[in-house]
Amino acid sequence: GIQVEQSPPDLILQEGANSTLRCNFSDSVNNLQWFHQNPWGQLINLFYIPSGTKQNGRLSATTVATERYSLLYISSSQTTDSGVYFCAVEETSGSRLTFGEGTQLTVNP
Amino acid sequence: NAGVTQTPKFRILKIGQSMTLQCTQDMNHNYMYWYRQDPGMGLKLIYYSVGAGITDKGEVPNGYNVSRSTTEDFPLRLELAAPSQTSVYFCASSYYVGGDRGFGPGTRLTVT
């Protein structure tokens, strides 16, 4: 099956800093999503982005499907951004969303 | 729309007991999914359904059963609960394959 690798596995920031999270995947995809899992365990859908670039407030994401990677940018980070960020992809040949292992982000005040 | 709803939110089972986790969506989505998330890990697919009456196994189906009698509901059945099934269970849905997945709030299950 498809492999999904996220980096870095852990990231500690001071409030106000910017960060970039990366997701590499091993095969063509027809779906790529970024999720934020908050400290209470809730999964929040950030972006549906199989290709191209999207922005939502301080967050933006870019997927370069031909090179099999996606980037999530967080600008002016806030303590409420803390949690785990997951990248999940779905192969063009299947109907299963495969998750990476996540990036644990801690934003300190 | 309420989106994807799951009940119960929390449950403690004794080894060998059975239970059903409920999942309902009101978006008329064809595709529904059950995932489990073990501590510190990503989500793994248990079962999925592409429409009423059709289900298929995911990565980790052992110990679980599902049914899909209506478009809206996709219950997950645990028979003979084991400590290895202690996890958080998420239900999700999408309108079409490759579509945006919406996730429910999760059910935290502990088997002791």
Short mmCIF file of all heavy atoms in Angstrom, two decimals, chain A residues 30-32 48 50 90 94-95, chain B residues 33 94 96-101:
data_model
loop_
_atom_site.label_atom_id
_atom_site.label_comp_id
_atom_site.label_asym_id
_atom_site.label_seq_id
_atom_site.Cartn_x
_atom_site.Cartn_y
_atom_site.Cartn_z
N ASN A 30 -5.55 10.67 -5.19
CA ASN A 30 -6.68 11.48 -5.62
C ASN A 30 -7.30 12.22 -4.45
O ASN A 30 -8.33 12.87 -4.60
CB ASN A 30 -7.73 10.65 -6.36
CG ASN A 30 -8.32 9.56 -5.50
OD1 ASN A 30 -8.03 9.47 -4.33
ND2 ASN A 30 -9.13 8.72 -6.10
N ASN A 31 -6.71 12.09 -3.29
CA ASN A 31 -7.18 12.79 -2.10
C ASN A 31 -6.00 12.99 -1.17
O ASN A 31 -5.23 12.06 -0.93
CB ASN A 31 -8.28 11.98 -1.41
CG ASN A 31 -8.81 12.65 -0.14
OD1 ASN A 31 -8.44 13.77 0.19
ND2 ASN A 31 -9.69 11.97 0.56
N LEU A 32 -5.85 14.19 -0.67
CA LEU A 32 -4.88 14.46 0.39
C LEU A 32 -5.54 15.43 1.35
O LEU A 32 -6.08 16.46 0.93
CB LEU A 32 -3.59 15.05 -0.16
CG LEU A 32 -2.44 15.18 0.87
CD1 LEU A 32 -1.10 14.94 0.21
CD2 LEU A 32 -2.47 16.47 1.63
N TYR A 48 -8.55 20.04 2.34
CA TYR A 48 -8.69 18.98 1.34
C TYR A 48 -7.91 19.48 0.15
O TYR A 48 -8.33 20.45 -0.50
CB TYR A 48 -10.15 18.74 1.01
CG TYR A 48 -10.38 17.84 -0.17
CD1 TYR A 48 -10.13 16.49 -0.10
CD2 TYR A 48 -10.85 18.36 -1.37
CE1 TYR A 48 -10.35 15.66 -1.18
CE2 TYR A 48 -11.07 17.54 -2.47
CZ TYR A 48 -10.81 16.19 -2.36
OH TYR A 48 -11.02 15.37 -3.44
N PRO A 50 -5.68 17.74 -2.80
CA PRO A 50 -4.95 16.76 -3.61
C PRO A 50 -3.94 17.41 -4.56
O PRO A 50 -3.01 16.73 -5.03
CB PRO A 50 -6.05 16.03 -4.38
CG PRO A 50 -7.22 16.93 -4.32
CD PRO A 50 -7.12 17.72 -3.07
N GLU A 90 -5.17 9.25 -0.16
CA GLU A 90 -5.94 8.16 -0.75
C GLU A 90 -5.39 7.90 -2.14
O GLU A 90 -5.32 8.82 -2.96
CB GLU A 90 -7.40 8.54 -0.83
CG GLU A 90 -8.31 7.46 -1.35
CD GLU A 90 -9.76 7.84 -1.17
OE1 GLU A 90 -10.11 8.98 -1.50
OE2 GLU A 90 -10.55 7.01 -0.69
N GLY A 94 -7.64 3.24 -5.05
CA GLY A 94 -8.39 2.68 -3.93
C GLY A 94 -9.36 3.65 -3.31
O GLY A 94 -9.57 4.74 -3.82
N SER A 95 -9.96 3.23 -2.22
CA SER A 95 -10.90 4.09 -1.50
C SER A 95 -10.55 4.16 -0.02
O SER A 95 -11.43 4.31 0.81
CB SER A 95 -12.32 3.59 -1.68
OG SER A 95 -12.43 2.26 -1.23
N TYR B 33 -16.70 5.06 6.90
CA TYR B 33 -15.45 4.41 7.32
C TYR B 33 -15.39 4.32 8.84
O TYR B 33 -15.89 5.20 9.54
CB TYR B 33 -14.24 5.24 6.85
CG TYR B 33 -14.29 5.69 5.43
CD1 TYR B 33 -15.00 6.85 5.07
CD2 TYR B 33 -13.65 4.98 4.42
CE1 TYR B 33 -15.06 7.27 3.76
CE2 TYR B 33 -13.70 5.41 3.10
CZ TYR B 33 -14.41 6.55 2.78
OH TYR B 33 -14.46 6.97 1.48
N SER B 94 -17.72 10.27 3.31
CA SER B 94 -17.43 11.14 2.17
C SER B 94 -18.47 10.86 1.10
O SER B 94 -19.07 9.79 1.05
CB SER B 94 -16.01 10.91 1.63
OG SER B 94 -15.86 9.60 1.13
N TYR B 96 -17.97 10.79 -2.25
CA TYR B 96 -17.48 9.94 -3.33
C TYR B 96 -16.06 9.51 -3.01
O TYR B 96 -15.42 10.08 -2.11
CB TYR B 96 -17.51 10.68 -4.66
CG TYR B 96 -16.73 11.98 -4.67
CD1 TYR B 96 -15.38 12.01 -5.03
CD2 TYR B 96 -17.33 13.18 -4.31
CE1 TYR B 96 -14.67 13.18 -5.02
CE2 TYR B 96 -16.62 14.36 -4.29
CZ TYR B 96 -15.30 14.36 -4.66
OH TYR B 96 -14.58 15.53 -4.65
N VAL B 97 -15.59 8.49 -3.69
CA VAL B 97 -14.22 8.04 -3.47
C VAL B 97 -13.28 9.17 -3.86
O VAL B 97 -13.47 9.83 -4.87
CB VAL B 97 -13.93 6.75 -4.28
CG1 VAL B 97 -13.98 6.99 -5.77
CG2 VAL B 97 -12.59 6.18 -3.87
N GLY B 98 -12.31 9.41 -2.99
CA GLY B 98 -11.41 10.53 -3.20
C GLY B 98 -11.93 11.84 -2.66
O GLY B 98 -11.30 12.88 -2.77
N GLY B 99 -13.11 11.81 -2.10
CA GLY B 99 -13.72 13.04 -1.60
C GLY B 99 -13.25 13.41 -0.21
O GLY B 99 -12.65 12.62 0.51
N ASP B 100 -13.57 14.62 0.16
CA ASP B 100 -13.24 15.17 1.46
C ASP B 100 -13.87 14.32 2.56
O ASP B 100 -15.07 14.07 2.54
CB ASP B 100 -13.80 16.61 1.49
CG ASP B 100 -13.38 17.36 2.72
OD1 ASP B 100 -12.65 16.81 3.55
OD2 ASP B 100 -13.80 18.53 2.82
N ARG B 101 -13.06 13.84 3.50
CA ARG B 101 -13.57 13.04 4.61
C ARG B 101 -13.94 13.95 5.78
O ARG B 101 -13.14 14.78 6.20
CB ARG B 101 -12.51 12.07 5.13
CG ARG B 101 -12.03 11.05 4.19
CD ARG B 101 -13.02 9.92 4.00
NE ARG B 101 -12.35 8.74 3.49
CZ ARG B 101 -11.92 8.59 2.23
NH1 ARG B 101 -12.11 9.56 1.37
NH2 ARG B 101 -11.31 7.47 1.87
#
